Amino acid sequence: MTAKKILFVATEAVPFVSTGGLGDVIGSLPAALKKLGGDSFDIRVILPLYKSVDNSWLQKMEKVCETTIPLSWRNQYAGVYSVIKDDVTFYFIDNEYYFSRRFLYGSFDDGERFAYFSKAVIELMPKLDFIPDIIHAHDWQSALSVIYLKNHYLWRKEYSNVKTVFTIHNIEYQGVYGFDIFNDIFDLRPEDRQTVEYGGLINLMKGAIVSCDALTTVSPSYAGEILTPEYSQGLHPVLELNKAKLMGIINGIDINYYNAACDPDIYTNFTADDICGKAKDKEELQKLLGLPEKADTPLITMITRLASHKGVDLLTHAVDELLSKDVQFVLLGTGDYHYEEFFKRLSENYPAKAASLITYNKELSKKIYAAADIFLMPSKSEPCGLAQMIASRYGAVPIVRNVGGLRDTIHEPDNGFTFNHYNSGDMLYAINRALEKYADKDEWQKLVIRVMKTDFSWDVSAKKYAELYDTFA
Ligand code: GLC
């Protein structure tokens, strides 16, 4: 049997470099597929070699090749390094000019940086001696790899059977640019105009949606939602035309990494069969943050990017009422300035009840998950959401809005609390239901155990991806 060759194209992956959920998925799905399929899969991942990739990884990498990549009138250097992790080969494209920056995203020339990356992926395949059966590209930064392959390269005999899967992790970010850089930067041709044009602009996500063979997003509910104007950020007409190839597959998480039983970053380890240690984690966090060490006061937490679609407004409206109750509140996250200022003031105004940590730190986040009684995630939209699953692994009971992947993973009364309408009254009502339950120690403990035992592994979803790949015989 020859192994099915799959090339993941993405711009972040745990543990090398990550800013959010995409990095978690690219860091765990390939390994899950490999575990499922064994020798029937040859899975490789290709990423930019950012400056922030840790030195310990750099030392493990081997140089594979170097070449130059044509991008319009440019010829840019590309070095390729590789490292094997969990039976998956990770390639890194080295170009200091494009990737030796302080941040992954947010440079004035992101369009050019990721056009170069996408072009390099397609150009490099023969040099890596890896022409995949399937290119699986993720989000707008990798969209041009699909667009180039399908519109510029299929005449190359060796590429003519390569199929493409494009996954939307978040439709809020589409890669929209003016036509002034159509040829000069994106190296697109007049005949590509209809592929990438949307609303008079270049829209890279749209270009990948129309070009790919299969289109996925990260939960079944979100797959339905993005067909509607409320959630599509304007792309619903394009998705409607392409919905025959659209499907939603819920993400899993790496349940070995997020594991309260052996996580070295939390104060005391615990399991669903013996949750005693969790009380210690709560006490230590209270101590660390200068909150009163009250074992019986419910600790409500939020770990989030401070962006409006995460539902932060609901909290800003409801927080005074929330803090009038016997609760403690801890927030960890960075983001929009006005939210950061709001939460800084909140902890000043309620020093004995609220602590805001305007930063992001993985170890600290796990300490908070492990300490929390309740994890709040009232998103306005949520393609999948991983935090509600991670929280569950540490026995923090999720309260979520019924939307996107939150709807598909959290069900009241089984493993959390939910509310439908995006308003702070409904959120407070769900919080009150949780607090009532919390008051009954036995019932609460049973709930925490159920929450911890919910299966959020990749097992089911990796199979769904494997089935999808199988449709391209
Ligand atoms: C994006 C989405 C999030 C999803 C993640 C991984 O970050 O906003 O909902 O879980 O991608 O797919």
Side-chain angles (χ1 to χ4, degrees):
M1 182 177 61
T2 54
K4 187 168 285 171
K5 295 189 242 170
I6 297 156
L7 182 62
F8 272 64
V9 185
T11 52
E12 51 183 272
V14 167
F16 308 105
V17 60
S18 168
T19 66
L22 173 66
D24 273 281
V25 171
I26 306 303
S28 54
L29 172 58
L33 280 162
K34 190 68 196 158
K35 194 175 130 214
L36 174 76
D39 290 343
S40 65
F41 281 133
D42 182 349
I43 304 188
R44 309 194 187 183
V45 182
I46 191 157
L47 300 159
L49 184 59
Y50 301 102
K51 186 180 174 178
S52 43
V53 174
D54 198 77
N55 215 10
S56 61
W57 285 111
L58 293 179
Q59 280 161 9
K60 292 190 188 109
M61 289 182 194
E62 271 175 32
K63 185 155 192 179
V64 182
C65 64
E66 59 178 37
T67 184
T68 54
I69 304 297
L71 185 69
S72 190
W73 47 266
R74 302 165 189 78
N75 255 323
Q76 298 287 35
Y77 168 85
V80 182
Y81 292 81
S82 78
V83 71
I84 296 175
K85 185 176 178 289
D86 301 330
D87 256 354
V88 175
T89 302
F90 287 83
Y91 294 113
F92 294 84
I93 300 181
D94 171 35
N95 177 303
E96 292 199 355
Y97 169 65
Y98 287 130
F99 301 131
S100 191
R101 312 255 174 119
R102 253 185 84 202
F103 299 107
L104 271 62
Y105 313 119
S107 294
F108 76 99
D109 58 348
D110 277 4
E112 180 175 336
R113 297 168 67 217
F114 297 114
Y116 159 82
F117 170 68
S118 298
K119 194 71 181 294
V121 168
I122 305 300
E123 287 277 333
L124 280 165
M125 297 187 304
K127 298 200 173 60
L128 303 175
D129 197 17
F130 190 71
I131 311 283
D133 299 303
I134 295 163
I135 287 184
H136 189 163
H138 299 261
D139 273 355
W140 78 263
Q141 293 91 342
S142 307
L144 275 165
S145 67
V146 176
I147 298 168
Y148 290 142
L149 181 86
K150 288 288 171 179
N151 299 285
H152 297 181
Y153 283 85
L154 278 190
W155 54 266
R156 271 212 213 166
K157 201 151 175 288
E158 57 206 313
Y159 288 178
S160 60
N161 291 323
V162 181
K163 301 289 185 208
T164 53
V165 178
F166 182 66
T167 296
I168 299 172
H169 291 262
N170 196 338
I171 209 158
E172 304 243 344
Y173 310 103
Q174 300 175 358
V176 176
Y177 292 92
F179 266 94
D180 46 329
I181 59 172
F182 178 73
N183 175 263
D184 180 58
I185 299 229
F186 289 147
D187 203 358
L188 293 166
R189 305 163 186 172
E191 60 273 23
D192 299 323
R193 183 175 260 273
Q194 59 170 8
T195 302
V196 296
E197 178 170 3
Y198 198 60
L201 296 164
I202 300 174
N203 186 314
L204 298 177
M205 185 171 267
K206 183 255 177 175
I209 291 171
V210 303
S211 302
C212 68
D213 295 296
L215 177 64
T216 72
T217 186
V218 287
S219 69
S221 287
Y222 195 61
E225 287 165 358
I226 54 177
L227 295 170
T228 68
E230 196 183 340
Y231 291 101
S232 75
Q233 299 293 325
L235 277 182
H236 55 283
V238 178
L239 288 163
E240 185 61 37
L241 286 172
N242 288 276
K243 77 172 177 202
K245 59 182 181 183
L246 171 64
M247 73 186 289
I249 302 178
I250 194 85
N251 289 327
I253 54 171
D254 181 343
I255 57 167
N256 297 321
Y257 178 71
Y258 295 113
N259 187 356
C262 57
D263 190 329
D265 293 325
I266 67 176
Y267 293 109
T268 306
N269 293 114
F270 59 96
T271 64
D273 297 323
D274 179 4
I275 57 172
C276 289
K278 190 167 167 62
K280 196 84 190 125
D281 284 296
K282 181 169 168 180
E283 190 187 321
E284 291 293 336
L285 187 80
Q286 288 168 327
K287 217 181 277 174
L288 180 79
L289 302 180
L291 292 170
E293 287 154 44
K294 292 188 183 169
D296 292 330
T297 297
L299 176 60
I300 304 177
T301 62
M302 229 173 141
I303 298 178
T304 183
R305 229 172 333 115
L306 295 173
S308 114
H309 70 264
K310 291 290 182 185
V312 187
D313 293 314
L314 292 192
L315 206 80
T316 59
H317 283 103
V319 78
D320 289 313
E321 190 174 336
L322 180 63
L323 291 178
S324 70
K325 303 171 199 292
D326 178 30
V327 299
Q328 293 180 347
F329 176 74
V330 172
L331 172 123
L332 174 71
T334 59
D336 295 354
Y337 177 77
H338 64 285
Y339 293 133
E340 292 192 352
E341 289 302 301
F342 178 90
F343 286 107
K344 275 186 211 161
R345 251 177 293 123
L346 185 75
S347 49
E348 285 161 20
N349 292 345
Y350 294 92
K353 291 200 141 184
S356 308
L357 303 158
I358 307 301
T359 170
Y360 185 72
N361 173 319
K362 193 102 191 162
E363 289 80 45
L364 191 54
S365 78
K366 294 201 282 180
K367 288 187 171 56
I368 297 173
Y369 285 123
D373 296 302
I374 291 170
F375 184 76
L376 195 55
M377 201 162 170
S379 305
K380 196 184 284 172
S381 67
E382 195 61 72
C384 175
L386 303 177
Q388 80 279 19
M389 305 193 227
I390 298 170
S392 300
R393 295 283 297 152
Y394 295 86
V397 176
I399 300 181
V400 306
R401 183 168 168 250
N402 251 332
V403 70
L406 298 172
R407 177 196 295 276
D408 297 337
T409 51
I410 305 300
H411 309 279
E412 184 170 345
D414 301 348
N415 66 343
F417 297 87
T418 65
F419 63 100
N420 290 325
H421 298 293
Y422 189 74
N423 70 62
S424 52
D426 285 16
M427 179 182 77
L428 279 170
Y429 185 49
I431 295 175
N432 283 339
R433 290 198 300 282
L435 295 178
E436 268 167 36
K437 181 76 109 192
Y438 183 86
D440 183 336
K441 286 280 161 267
D442 287 347
E443 281 296 304
W444 186 260
Q445 177 151 344
K446 279 187 211 149
L447 174 60
V448 170
I449 292 169
R450 279 205 306 279
V451 164
M452 286 189 76
K453 287 191 167 168
T454 311
D455 180 7
F456 290 124
S457 73
W458 271 108
D459 292 354
V460 175
S461 296
K463 266 190 208 121
K464 297 212 166 123
Y465 280 108
E467 280 160 23
L468 172 66
Y469 299 152
D470 272 342
T471 59
F472 311 122

